[in-house]
Amino acid sequence: MAEATVPGPAILEEAVADPQAVFAKERFEVDLEFLQCLANPWYINIIAQQGYFDKPEFINYLKYLQYWKKPEYVKFVVYPHALAFLDLLQTKEFREEIKKVDEATRIHGLQYHHWRWPNYQHAEEEEEEEEESEQLPQEQEQAQAQLQQQ
């Protein structure tokens, strides 16, 4: 069995030689860890109840975290729901609603069902698709009738 590799003293020397590189690495790790915590609706609910979303500094931090959506960063995100929640957290309405335990429960249920049955389509979505598919031929017929009248 192979033994785990332990970083040698060269890494420590580099850290001492370039403290900005160490800071950048730590900032990257902290931001990524916090972002991935946002994939959990219960975590969002707790920080909402603690009043973090009432602080302008925290709202600015959430805006700052949008850089994780760029291709060079998104590849490090393990939980893509975190990015969806980050988008939702940009709106005041969502930040207010997520304070409610009932809303966190509802969102958690939706998230669970999405993970459990990723290809499942809700009845409302199926009805919308049916309506759209019915409207398309009607629109085409109307367009053809208008062309024939001209």
Side-chain angles (χ1 to χ4, degrees):
M1 189 164 139
E3 291 187 13
T5 306
V6 178
I11 294 209
L12 295 175
E13 289 172 16
E14 288 176 25
V16 171
D18 189 6
Q20 286 184 333
V22 172
F23 176 77
K25 180 180 180 284
E26 288 175 357
R27 180 66 187 246
F28 176 87
E29 291 171 347
V30 168
D31 286 352
L32 180 58
E33 184 174 350
F34 176 74
L35 175 75
Q36 300 208 106
C37 287
L38 294 180
N40 182 343
W42 294 115
Y43 178 75
I44 298 171
N45 173 259
I46 289 170
I47 61 177
Q49 288 181 357
Q50 292 177 352
Y52 282 91
F53 297 146
D54 299 328
K55 299 176 182 178
E57 305 85 13
F58 196 78
I59 302 306
N60 287 337
Y61 180 61
L62 293 173
K63 289 177 186 171
Y64 159 78
L65 290 175
Q66 292 284 329
Y67 76 89
W68 284 101
K69 296 169 74 178
K70 295 180 182 176
E72 62 267 26
Y73 295 101
V74 77
K75 63 186 176 186
F76 297 102
V77 177
V78 177
Y79 306 110
H81 279 182
L83 296 172
F85 284 123
L86 180 62
D87 284 342
L88 289 169
L89 286 168
Q90 303 304 314
T91 66
K92 185 175 177 94
E93 295 81 16
F94 181 77
R95 293 192 302 264
E96 288 299 318
E97 285 298 310
I98 198 65
K99 288 179 182 179
K100 302 172 187 169
V101 173
D102 290 343
E103 184 64 10
T105 303
R106 185 185 75 80
I107 291 171
H108 180 260
L110 290 171
Q111 186 181 48
Y112 169 78
H113 291 296
H114 177 74
W115 284 337
R116 180 90 167 123
W117 298 286
N119 296 325
Y120 176 76
Q121 194 168 21
H122 295 282
E124 299 102 22
E125 293 173 0
E126 289 175 0
E127 288 174 11
E128 287 174 12
E129 282 185 8
E130 286 176 15
E131 288 174 10
E132 288 174 8
S133 65
E134 289 172 4
Q135 288 176 354
L136 186 58
Q138 291 172 355
E139 291 172 1
Q140 289 174 343
E141 289 173 13
Q142 289 173 353
Q144 286 176 352
Q146 287 176 352
L147 287 174
Q148 289 173 355
Q149 290 175 356
Q150 294 174 353

